[in-house]
Amino acid sequence: MEIKRLEVGPLGTNCYLIKNEDRMIVIDPGYFTGPLEDEISQTDLPVEAVLLTHAHFDHIWGVDALVETVGAPVYALDKEEAMLTDPSVNLAKDFIDIPVTVNAPIRYFSEGDILELAGLSFKTIWIPGHSAGGCCYYLEDEGVLFSGDSLFYGSIGRTDNPQGDYDALVGNLCKKVLILPDEVRVFPGHGPETVIGFEKQYNPFLREWS
């Protein structure tokens, strides 16, 4: 398995390309110009699926253009449906005044579902608090977690926006994410990667709860 990180869009959103068994998964295509468009056009691997950690505009802006190009299905947690279709909820109206939505068909899943894609098993973990339907994708066999905007290097996602809930975010991270092995690599929605063990010991938002 190969993981490639691309920074896309005006807020520097991390979009991840996971290449495995001659197929590719795209996580959070926040913008489909520049690096992501170039990478997709240059690779000869088919995109098997597009996974969304949550549906704030900076993580979904490129979904429709990407799907139109590659024809892959889009997956999101069922609790995120409103944010995918309403710019006033996904913050597009507030930040960029452009009506960002996803019109491509969505395959909704529930917490705990395991998505078998590209020869990999993606366990879904619901982490509300940054958004209502935010989730992480855990690849246990690979020791990898894609945390979206719930957990960052030394920090956590914002909770001062609509649907934000500080206690829910921190509590769910401690109950569902910090229980993972210390060596699990964490790939967040913004900024550099980290590992679970580091966040347990040094993340100031989590130490008092863990």
Side-chain angles (χ1 to χ4, degrees):
M1 183 187 74
E2 175 189 346
I3 300 172
K4 182 163 188 175
R5 178 178 71 92
L6 302 172
E7 276 195 25
V8 299
L11 300 186
T13 302
N14 287 337
C15 173
Y16 295 101
L17 307 182
I18 307 168
K19 302 176 183 180
N20 191 61
E21 294 188 352
D22 299 324
R23 291 169 284 170
M24 184 163 56
I25 304 294
V26 179
I27 296 182
D28 287 353
Y31 209 58
F32 191 61
T33 58
L36 180 56
E37 186 175 23
D38 292 344
E39 186 71 24
I40 294 294
S41 66
Q42 291 169 11
T43 184
D44 58 355
L45 299 181
V47 177
E48 184 163 320
V50 177
L51 305 185
L52 303 178
T53 61
H54 67 295
H56 280 142
F57 80 95
D58 60 311
H59 289 254
I60 66 169
W61 202 349
V63 169
D64 284 347
L66 175 61
V67 170
E68 184 177 349
T69 300
V70 303
V74 182
Y75 292 81
L77 190 74
D78 50 12
K79 295 176 177 62
E80 203 73 338
E81 185 171 1
M83 190 176 286
L84 287 161
T85 58
D86 189 341
S88 66
V89 178
N90 66 34
L91 305 183
K93 184 176 180 181
D94 294 330
F95 277 80
I96 57 174
D97 200 24
I98 296 174
V100 176
T101 59
V102 173
N103 297 304
I106 306 294
R107 297 184 182 181
Y108 290 104
F109 56 81
S110 300
E111 179 185 19
D113 286 353
I114 296 178
L115 308 178
E116 301 288 349
L117 300 165
L120 299 167
S121 296
F122 294 80
K123 181 180 180 181
T124 60
I125 305 173
W126 178 37
I127 306 289
H130 178 68
S131 71
C135 76
C136 298
Y137 297 101
Y138 179 40
L139 284 71
E140 183 173 6
D141 292 343
E142 308 293 334
V144 165
L145 180 82
F146 294 94
S147 63
D149 284 4
S150 58
L151 178 63
F152 300 130
Y153 173 79
S155 189
I156 61 173
R158 292 179 60 170
T159 59
D160 59 340
N161 293 314
Q163 300 188 354
D165 186 324
Y166 179 85
D167 289 342
L169 179 58
V170 173
N172 277 283
L173 284 171
C174 290
K175 289 186 294 185
K176 300 177 182 180
V177 172
L178 292 192
I179 63 171
L180 301 177
D182 286 356
E183 64 271 16
V184 169
R185 299 169 67 193
V186 179
F187 294 87
H190 300 271
E193 71 174 87
T194 183
V195 295
I196 293 294
F198 177 89
E199 300 308 319
K200 284 182 183 178
Q201 186 170 0
Y202 296 109
N203 191 312
F205 298 95
L206 304 179
R207 280 188 301 176
E208 61 185 275
W209 288 66
S210 59

